[in-house]
Protein backbone atom coordinates (compact mmCIF):
# COMPACT_ATOMS: atom_id res chain seq x y z
CA UNK A 1 0.00 0.00 0.00
CA UNK A 2 2.85 2.26 0.79
CA UNK A 3 4.34 1.56 -2.62
CA UNK A 4 1.11 2.59 -4.38
CA UNK A 5 0.99 5.90 -2.52
CA UNK A 6 4.55 6.62 -3.48
CA UNK A 7 3.86 5.87 -7.16
CA UNK A 8 0.82 8.13 -7.28
CA UNK A 9 2.79 10.94 -5.64
CA UNK A 10 5.51 10.52 -8.30
CA UNK A 11 3.00 10.63 -11.16
CA UNK A 12 1.36 13.79 -9.84
CA UNK A 13 4.79 15.29 -9.61
CA UNK A 14 5.53 14.55 -13.27
CA UNK A 15 2.18 15.91 -14.38
CA UNK A 16 2.70 19.09 -12.63
CA UNK A 17 6.02 19.36 -14.47
CA UNK A 18 4.30 19.56 -18.02
CA UNK A 19 3.25 23.10 -18.81
CA UNK A 20 -0.10 23.90 -20.29
CA UNK A 21 1.59 25.20 -23.44
CA UNK A 22 3.34 21.92 -24.09
CA UNK A 23 0.15 19.99 -23.41
CA UNK A 24 -1.78 22.11 -25.91
CA UNK A 25 0.93 21.54 -28.52
CA UNK A 26 0.81 17.81 -27.92
CA UNK A 27 -2.98 17.88 -28.07
CA UNK A 28 -2.85 19.70 -31.45
CA UNK A 29 -0.26 17.30 -32.76
CA UNK A 30 -2.36 14.37 -31.66
CA UNK A 31 -5.42 15.83 -33.46
CA UNK A 32 -3.37 16.44 -36.60
CA UNK A 33 -2.11 12.86 -36.49
CA UNK A 34 -5.66 11.56 -35.99
CA UNK A 35 -6.92 13.63 -38.97
CA UNK A 36 -4.09 12.30 -41.14
CA UNK A 37 -4.93 8.77 -40.01
CA UNK A 38 -8.59 9.29 -40.87
CA UNK A 39 -7.65 10.69 -44.31
CA UNK A 40 -5.37 7.73 -44.98
CA UNK A 41 -8.09 5.35 -43.86
CA UNK A 42 -10.56 6.95 -46.31
CA UNK A 43 -8.02 6.76 -49.15
CA UNK A 44 -7.20 3.17 -48.24
CA UNK A 45 -10.86 2.20 -48.35
CA UNK A 46 -11.24 3.99 -51.70
CA UNK A 47 -8.21 2.16 -53.08
CA UNK A 48 -9.58 -1.14 -51.84
CA UNK A 49 -12.91 -0.45 -53.55
CA UNK A 50 -11.13 0.58 -56.75
CA UNK A 51 -8.97 -2.55 -56.55
CA UNK A 52 -12.08 -4.70 -56.19
CA UNK A 53 -13.65 -2.97 -59.19
CA UNK A 54 -10.50 -3.41 -61.28
CA UNK A 55 -10.29 -7.05 -60.27
CA UNK A 56 -13.85 -7.58 -61.39
CA UNK A 57 -13.06 -5.84 -64.70
CA UNK A 58 -9.96 -7.99 -65.17
CA UNK A 59 -11.93 -11.13 -64.43
CA UNK A 60 -14.59 -10.02 -66.93
CA UNK A 61 -11.95 -9.25 -69.55
CA UNK A 62 -10.30 -12.61 -68.99
CA UNK A 63 -13.62 -14.37 -69.39
CA UNK A 64 -14.36 -12.34 -72.54
CA UNK A 65 -10.90 -13.09 -73.87
CA UNK A 66 -11.40 -16.81 -73.26
CA UNK A 67 -14.77 -16.62 -75.05
CA UNK A 68 -13.22 -14.74 -77.98
CA UNK A 69 -10.43 -17.30 -78.25
CA UNK A 70 -13.04 -20.07 -78.30
CA UNK A 71 -15.07 -18.20 -80.90
CA UNK A 72 -11.93 -17.63 -82.94
CA UNK A 73 -11.23 -21.36 -82.96
CA UNK A 74 -14.85 -22.06 -83.95
CA UNK A 75 -14.69 -19.42 -86.68
CA UNK A 76 -11.48 -20.98 -87.97
CA UNK A 77 -13.22 -24.35 -88.19
CA UNK A 78 -16.31 -22.78 -89.77
CA UNK A 79 -14.21 -20.79 -92.22
CA UNK A 80 -12.35 -23.93 -93.24
CA UNK A 81 -15.59 -25.87 -93.68
CA UNK A 82 -17.13 -22.92 -95.48
CA UNK A 83 -14.21 -22.76 -97.88
CA UNK A 84 -14.49 -26.50 -98.52
CA UNK A 85 -18.25 -26.19 -99.11
CA UNK A 86 -17.74 -23.26 -101.49
CA UNK A 87 -15.12 -25.25 -103.37
CA UNK A 88 -17.48 -28.23 -103.66
CA UNK A 89 -20.32 -25.93 -104.78
CA UNK A 90 -18.10 -24.36 -107.44
CA UNK A 91 -17.07 -27.80 -108.70
CA UNK A 92 -20.73 -28.84 -108.84
CA UNK A 93 -21.64 -25.67 -110.73
CA UNK A 94 -18.80 -26.25 -113.20
CA UNK A 95 -19.96 -29.82 -113.73
CA UNK A 96 -23.56 -28.72 -114.27
CA UNK A 97 -22.48 -25.95 -116.63
CA UNK A 98 -20.50 -28.50 -118.63
CA UNK A 99 -23.50 -30.84 -118.82
CA UNK A 100 -25.75 -27.97 -119.86
CA UNK A 101 -23.23 -26.95 -122.51
CA UNK A 102 -23.11 -30.50 -123.84
CA UNK A 103 -26.90 -30.75 -123.91
CA UNK A 104 -27.14 -27.41 -125.68
CA UNK A 105 -24.65 -28.57 -128.30
CA UNK A 106 -26.64 -31.74 -128.84
CA UNK A 107 -29.90 -29.79 -129.05
CA UNK A 108 -28.29 -27.39 -131.50
CA UNK A 109 -27.36 -30.34 -133.68
CA UNK A 110 -30.89 -31.71 -133.33
CA UNK A 111 -32.31 -28.32 -134.33
CA UNK A 112 -30.03 -28.32 -137.36
CA UNK A 113 -31.31 -31.76 -138.33
CA UNK A 114 -34.90 -30.59 -137.78
CA UNK A 115 -34.33 -27.58 -140.01
CA UNK A 116 -32.87 -29.85 -142.69
CA UNK A 117 -35.96 -32.09 -142.53
CA UNK A 118 -38.29 -29.09 -142.84
CA UNK A 119 -36.32 -27.83 -145.83
CA UNK A 120 -36.39 -31.28 -147.45
CA UNK A 121 -40.14 -31.67 -146.94
CA UNK A 122 -40.94 -28.23 -148.28
CA UNK A 123 -38.74 -28.74 -151.33
CA UNK A 124 -40.10 -32.23 -152.03
CA UNK A 125 -43.78 -31.64 -151.24
CA UNK A 126 -43.68 -28.24 -152.90
CA UNK A 127 -47.40 -27.68 -152.49
CA UNK A 128 -48.99 -24.32 -151.86
CA UNK A 129 -52.24 -25.67 -150.48
CA UNK A 130 -54.16 -24.53 -147.42
CA UNK A 131 -54.98 -28.18 -146.72
CA UNK A 132 -51.30 -29.04 -146.18
CA UNK A 133 -49.10 -27.48 -143.50
CA UNK A 134 -45.43 -28.20 -142.80
CA UNK A 135 -44.25 -26.95 -139.43
CA UNK A 136 -42.29 -27.68 -136.26
CA UNK A 137 -43.96 -28.43 -132.93
CA UNK A 138 -41.71 -28.70 -129.87
CA UNK A 139 -38.70 -29.55 -132.00
CA UNK A 140 -40.55 -32.17 -134.08
CA UNK A 141 -41.28 -31.72 -137.79
CA UNK A 142 -44.84 -32.48 -138.87
CA UNK A 143 -47.06 -32.35 -141.94
CA UNK A 144 -50.69 -31.62 -141.19
CA UNK A 145 -53.10 -32.74 -143.92
CA UNK A 146 -56.79 -31.94 -143.85
CA UNK A 147 -59.34 -34.71 -143.73
CA UNK A 148 -60.98 -33.77 -147.05
CA UNK A 149 -57.72 -34.32 -148.94
CA UNK A 150 -57.05 -37.74 -147.42
CA UNK A 151 -60.43 -39.38 -146.92
CA UNK A 152 -64.05 -39.24 -147.89
CA UNK A 153 -66.45 -38.23 -145.11
CA UNK A 154 -66.74 -40.93 -142.45
CA UNK A 155 -64.34 -43.18 -144.37
CA UNK A 156 -60.81 -44.41 -143.77
CA UNK A 157 -60.01 -45.24 -147.39
CA UNK A 158 -57.11 -43.08 -148.65
CA UNK A 159 -57.95 -41.03 -151.75
CA UNK A 160 -55.83 -41.07 -154.92
CA UNK A 161 -55.03 -37.36 -154.42
CA UNK A 162 -53.69 -38.12 -150.94
CA UNK A 163 -51.43 -40.86 -152.32
CA UNK A 164 -49.64 -38.26 -154.43
CA UNK A 165 -48.81 -36.23 -151.31
CA UNK A 166 -47.89 -39.36 -149.34
CA UNK A 167 -45.45 -40.39 -152.08
CA UNK A 168 -43.51 -37.16 -151.51
CA UNK A 169 -43.54 -37.72 -147.73
CA UNK A 170 -42.28 -41.27 -148.31
CA UNK A 171 -39.32 -39.92 -150.29
CA UNK A 172 -38.17 -37.81 -147.33
CA UNK A 173 -38.67 -40.67 -144.84
CA UNK A 174 -36.82 -43.12 -147.09
CA UNK A 175 -33.90 -40.68 -147.28
CA UNK A 176 -33.66 -40.78 -143.47
CA UNK A 177 -33.66 -44.42 -142.36
CA UNK A 178 -32.67 -43.42 -138.82
CA UNK A 179 -35.88 -41.38 -138.40
CA UNK A 180 -39.36 -42.47 -137.34
CA UNK A 181 -42.65 -41.41 -138.90
CA UNK A 182 -45.73 -41.24 -136.68
CA UNK A 183 -49.17 -40.97 -138.30
CA UNK A 184 -51.64 -39.33 -135.91
CA UNK A 185 -55.36 -39.21 -136.75
CA UNK A 186 -57.77 -36.53 -135.45
CA UNK A 187 -61.55 -36.21 -135.76
CA UNK A 188 -64.15 -33.60 -134.82
CA UNK A 189 -66.59 -34.16 -131.94
CA UNK A 190 -69.49 -35.43 -134.03
CA UNK A 191 -70.08 -39.08 -132.97
CA UNK A 192 -69.27 -41.68 -135.59
CA UNK A 193 -72.49 -43.08 -137.08
CA UNK A 194 -71.22 -45.56 -139.66
CA UNK A 195 -71.57 -49.31 -139.70
CA UNK A 196 -69.03 -52.09 -139.46
CA UNK A 197 -66.23 -52.75 -137.00
CA UNK A 198 -65.63 -49.07 -136.16
CA UNK A 199 -67.30 -48.17 -132.87
CA UNK A 200 -66.51 -44.48 -132.38
CA UNK A 201 -64.17 -41.59 -133.23
CA UNK A 202 -61.31 -43.32 -131.44
CA UNK A 203 -61.55 -46.24 -133.82
CA UNK A 204 -61.93 -43.94 -136.81
CA UNK A 205 -58.87 -41.83 -135.94
CA UNK A 206 -56.65 -44.89 -135.44
CA UNK A 207 -58.06 -46.65 -138.51
CA UNK A 208 -57.22 -43.65 -140.68
CA UNK A 209 -53.70 -43.71 -139.26
CA UNK A 210 -53.21 -47.41 -140.08
CA UNK A 211 -54.66 -46.88 -143.58
CA UNK A 212 -51.99 -44.28 -144.33
CA UNK A 213 -49.32 -46.54 -142.85
CA UNK A 214 -50.37 -49.34 -145.20
CA UNK A 215 -50.06 -47.01 -148.19
CA UNK A 216 -46.59 -45.83 -147.07
CA UNK A 217 -45.28 -49.33 -146.31
CA UNK A 218 -46.91 -51.51 -149.00
CA UNK A 219 -47.15 -49.07 -151.91
CA UNK A 220 -44.41 -46.48 -151.32
CA UNK A 221 -41.59 -48.60 -149.89
CA UNK A 222 -41.28 -47.07 -146.38
CA UNK A 223 -39.71 -49.41 -143.84
CA UNK A 224 -42.58 -50.51 -141.50
CA UNK A 225 -40.14 -50.38 -138.57
CA UNK A 226 -40.05 -46.61 -139.00
CA UNK A 227 -43.83 -46.18 -138.84
CA UNK A 228 -46.01 -45.55 -135.76
CA UNK A 229 -49.82 -45.51 -135.71
CA UNK A 230 -51.66 -43.15 -133.35
CA UNK A 231 -55.19 -41.80 -132.95
CA UNK A 232 -56.39 -38.85 -130.83
CA UNK A 233 -60.13 -38.93 -131.64
CA UNK A 234 -61.63 -35.44 -131.03
CA UNK A 235 -59.67 -34.63 -127.87
CA UNK A 236 -56.94 -32.40 -129.31
CA UNK A 237 -58.90 -29.88 -131.42
CA UNK A 238 -57.23 -26.95 -133.13
CA UNK A 239 -60.32 -24.79 -132.66
CA UNK A 240 -63.69 -25.11 -130.96
CA UNK A 241 -66.05 -27.58 -132.63
CA UNK A 242 -68.83 -25.00 -132.83
CA UNK A 243 -69.17 -24.45 -136.59
CA UNK A 244 -68.92 -26.67 -139.69
CA UNK A 245 -65.81 -24.76 -140.76
CA UNK A 246 -64.10 -25.32 -137.39
CA UNK A 247 -65.02 -29.01 -137.34
CA UNK A 248 -63.46 -29.33 -140.78
CA UNK A 249 -60.22 -27.83 -139.43
CA UNK A 250 -60.17 -30.33 -136.59
CA UNK A 251 -60.60 -33.32 -138.93
CA UNK A 252 -56.98 -33.80 -139.91
CA UNK A 253 -54.01 -36.17 -139.95
CA UNK A 254 -50.57 -35.24 -138.72
CA UNK A 255 -47.48 -37.00 -140.03
CA UNK A 256 -44.53 -36.51 -137.66
CA UNK A 257 -41.00 -37.01 -138.99
CA UNK A 258 -38.61 -37.23 -136.04
CA UNK A 259 -35.30 -38.69 -134.88
CA UNK A 260 -35.65 -41.84 -132.85
CA UNK A 261 -35.55 -41.07 -129.12
CA UNK A 262 -32.70 -43.50 -128.48
CA UNK A 263 -30.73 -41.94 -131.33
CA UNK A 264 -31.26 -38.50 -129.87
CA UNK A 265 -29.80 -39.69 -126.57
CA UNK A 266 -26.95 -41.31 -128.48
CA UNK A 267 -26.36 -37.92 -130.07
CA UNK A 268 -26.22 -36.32 -126.60
CA UNK A 269 -23.94 -39.05 -125.25
CA UNK A 270 -21.53 -38.71 -128.18
CA UNK A 271 -21.38 -34.96 -127.64
CA UNK A 272 -20.64 -35.47 -123.93
CA UNK A 273 -17.84 -37.90 -124.74
CA UNK A 274 -16.31 -35.38 -127.11
CA UNK A 275 -16.31 -32.75 -124.36
CA UNK A 276 -14.59 -35.17 -121.98
Amino acid sequence: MKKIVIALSFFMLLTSCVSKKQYAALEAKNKETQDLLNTCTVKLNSCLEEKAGLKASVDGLREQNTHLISQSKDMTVLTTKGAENIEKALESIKEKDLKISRMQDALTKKDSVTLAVVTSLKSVVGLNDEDIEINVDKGVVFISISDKMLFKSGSYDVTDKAKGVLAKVAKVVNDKPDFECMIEGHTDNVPYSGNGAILDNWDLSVKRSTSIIRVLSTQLGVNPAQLIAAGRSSYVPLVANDTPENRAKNRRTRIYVMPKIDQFYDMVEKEMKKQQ
Side-chain angles (χ1 to χ4, degrees):
M1 184 66 179
K2 184 176 180 180
K3 290 180 180 180
I4 294 173
V5 172
I6 293 172
L8 287 172
S9 297
F10 182 73
F11 178 75
M12 290 177 65
L13 179 63
L14 288 174
T15 302
S16 62
C17 292
V18 179
S19 66
K20 289 183 178 181
K21 183 177 181 181
Q22 289 176 323
Y23 180 80
L26 290 172
E27 188 71 22
K29 186 68 175 177
N30 180 59
K31 185 176 183 305
E32 182 180 347
T33 302
Q34 188 63 41
D35 290 342
L36 181 61
L37 177 63
N38 291 339
T39 300
C40 290
T41 301
V42 171
K43 288 184 178 181
L44 176 61
N45 291 335
S46 177
C47 288
L48 290 174
E49 290 177 0
E50 186 175 354
K51 177 185 176 183
L54 290 173
K55 186 178 182 302
S57 296
V58 169
D59 291 341
L61 289 172
R62 282 177 178 170
E63 183 178 353
Q64 185 177 1
N65 186 54
T66 302
H67 181 64
L68 288 173
I69 291 173
S70 176
Q71 278 189 329
S72 177
K73 291 179 180 178
D74 292 340
M75 286 299 294
T76 301
V77 173
L78 290 174
T79 302
T80 303
K81 289 183 178 179
E84 291 175 355
N85 291 336
I86 290 172
E87 190 67 25
K88 289 179 181 178
L90 289 174
E91 288 296 326
S92 178
I93 290 171
K94 288 180 182 177
E95 185 177 347
K96 288 180 180 178
D97 284 343
L98 184 58
K99 288 181 179 179
I100 290 171
S101 177
R102 292 166 182 167
M103 288 294 293
Q104 287 174 337
D105 291 340
L107 289 172
T108 299
K109 289 187 176 181
K110 180 178 177 294
D111 290 341
S112 299
V113 173
T114 299
L115 180 60
V117 173
V118 171
T119 304
S120 297
L121 282 170
K122 287 187 175 181
S123 63
V124 170
V125 174
L127 295 177
N128 185 16
D129 195 319
E130 62 179 7
D131 294 324
I132 299 177
E133 178 189 3
I134 300 174
N135 216 324
V136 178
D137 181 21
K138 297 178 181 177
V140 178
V141 181
F142 71 88
I143 306 170
S144 184
I145 308 174
S146 70
D147 175 77
K148 66 182 180 180
M149 175 173 281
L150 293 173
F151 310 101
K152 293 179 181 180
S153 179
S155 171
Y156 53 84
D157 292 329
V158 180
T159 65
D160 291 335
K161 184 179 180 181
K163 290 178 183 179
V165 176
L166 293 177
K168 295 178 179 181
V169 174
K171 184 179 186 308
V172 174
V173 176
N174 287 332
D175 288 341
K176 296 191 176 297
D178 55 344
F179 274 51
E180 290 180 326
C181 181
M182 183 172 72
I183 317 301
E184 185 181 82
H186 295 261
T187 68
D188 57 25
N189 67 341
V190 177
Y192 179 75
S193 58
N195 298 319
I198 295 178
L199 299 179
D200 51 24
N201 284 340
W202 277 113
D203 279 351
L204 180 60
S205 65
V206 175
K207 191 66 175 175
R208 286 179 168 176
S209 172
T210 55
S211 293
I212 292 175
I213 282 178
R214 286 191 183 92
V215 172
L216 290 171
S217 60
T218 61
Q219 299 180 28
L220 301 174
V222 177
N223 181 1
Q226 292 179 255
L227 300 173
I228 303 169
R232 305 300 297 270
S233 186
S234 60
Y235 297 103
V236 190
L238 294 174
V239 292
N241 284 293
D242 52 2
T243 65
E245 291 77 14
N246 283 352
R247 285 192 289 273
K249 290 180 181 179
N250 291 329
R251 294 191 300 271
R252 69 201 187 278
T253 298
R254 277 192 172 185
I255 302 175
Y256 291 93
V257 182
M258 52 195 177
K260 293 179 180 178
I261 296 298
D262 55 345
Q263 290 179 349
F264 171 68
Y265 283 115
D266 286 342
M267 191 187 305
V268 174
E269 186 177 356
K270 287 178 183 178
E271 186 62 31
M272 292 177 72
K273 287 180 178 178
K274 286 181 182 179
Q275 296 293 335
Q276 290 174 349

